Amino acid sequence: MRLPQLDERLQKAANLFPACAYGADIGADHGRLSCYLLANERCARMCISDLSAPSLEKAKRLITLHGMADRADFCVGNGLKVLHKKANAIAVLGMGGKTISAILNEGRDQLQQATLIVSAHTELAVLRETLVHIGYTIETEEIAHAGGRFYVIIRAIPGETEYNPAQLLIGPQLLKNGGEHYLEYLQWRSDVLSCENSEEGRIHLKMIKEAMKHAGTCE
């Protein structure tokens, strides 16, 4: 049976997910990411969780339909509290930056040095600051375009680091390496910030414009 198709955001998240014995998809919703990771042997076994029982049931039906339910632990619960064994890699996607930050802070003891794949719809600077706070460094950042907007998918690994305000806002690896959709993403961020009327918004817009200028010079 044909696997469900992933949009660019989920495909890039899947590509960043390391091959491992036990992975976790926190806030799995429809379960497409988990289904892909199990079917492609990226994870031997997975914890698939959601705060919503009806959402988790959708994921369970999908995984069962593809004959992989025996390789999944389905858990209804809040954040990383559902993890009862060490996960080698953990995905937390599709929420706001403050929400993911709260999940990581509150579940810090459950991380156990796992690789993190995170993507927030909003407040990316908050999320990056939280990664630093919990002892993680950003290894890779990818930009995806899906559903008419841009997303940044981050892979973070244990390690001490510090980031300056521009790195927190735009992304240390994006500033360093650019990559697919980079200039389009910066223009999109610039357009959004141009509509804000605050001192913070003006500061952020200046940082974005500087990054755009540098990216254009480097091309």
Side-chain angles (χ1 to χ4, degrees):
M1 184 176 293
R2 189 176 181 182
L3 291 171
Q5 200 149 16
L6 303 184
D7 65 11
E8 188 173 302
R9 177 180 69 95
L10 288 179
Q11 186 62 61
K12 289 197 172 184
N15 293 345
L16 291 180
F17 206 101
C20 63
Y22 194 66
D25 187 1
I26 306 299
D29 192 24
H30 41 60
R32 291 194 189 103
L33 176 64
S34 299
C35 187
Y36 179 94
L37 295 172
L38 289 169
N40 287 277
E41 304 293 336
R42 192 65 64 89
C43 298
R45 187 174 186 85
M46 289 196 71
C47 171
I48 303 171
S49 81
D50 204 279
L51 188 60
S52 161
S55 287
L56 187 62
E57 189 58 34
K58 289 188 294 184
K60 189 172 184 178
R61 284 198 301 269
L62 179 64
I63 302 298
T64 302
L65 181 66
H66 289 276
M68 299 182 294
D70 60 334
R71 295 168 54 203
D73 300 322
F74 298 98
C75 305
V76 176
N78 186 19
L80 301 177
K81 295 174 184 177
V82 300
L83 287 173
H84 300 299
K85 60 184 287 190
K86 174 179 168 58
N88 307 108
I90 301 169
V92 191
L93 312 170
M95 309 172 204
K98 288 183 180 177
T99 299
I100 297 178
S101 292
I103 287 171
L104 296 178
N105 276 314
E106 291 167 12
R108 192 170 178 174
D109 291 342
Q110 280 79 36
L111 291 175
Q112 298 186 69
Q113 305 289 293
T115 297
L116 299 177
I117 297 86
V118 293
S119 179
H121 294 343
T122 59
E123 299 146 335
L124 275 165
V126 173
L127 177 55
R128 292 188 180 102
E129 196 166 14
T130 296
L131 290 170
V132 172
H133 175 70
I134 64 174
Y136 274 74
T137 185
I138 295 172
E139 182 181 50
T140 308
E141 293 176 298
E142 296 275 354
I143 298 169
H145 187 257
R149 62 163 291 162
F150 292 94
Y151 301 89
V152 177
I153 300 96
I154 297 169
R155 182 168 69 191
I157 57 175
E160 299 297 322
T161 192
E162 290 184 6
Y163 296 127
N164 63 39
Q167 289 173 318
L168 290 174
L169 178 69
I170 300 166
Q173 296 302 325
L174 292 179
L175 281 168
K176 182 180 178 181
N177 302 314
E180 187 181 16
H181 302 309
Y182 182 53
L183 273 172
E184 299 164 81
Y185 170 69
L186 291 177
Q187 184 61 61
W188 178 70
R189 291 288 305 271
S190 174
D191 292 344
V192 171
L193 286 167
S194 295
C195 298
E196 291 189 15
N197 186 24
S198 67
E199 182 61 25
E200 183 182 60
R202 285 188 284 273
I203 292 170
H204 289 175
L205 181 59
K206 184 177 179 180
M207 290 181 191
I208 296 287
K209 294 287 189 184
E210 283 296 320
M212 291 173 68
K213 182 179 177 181
H214 179 71
T217 302
C218 292
E219 283 195 329

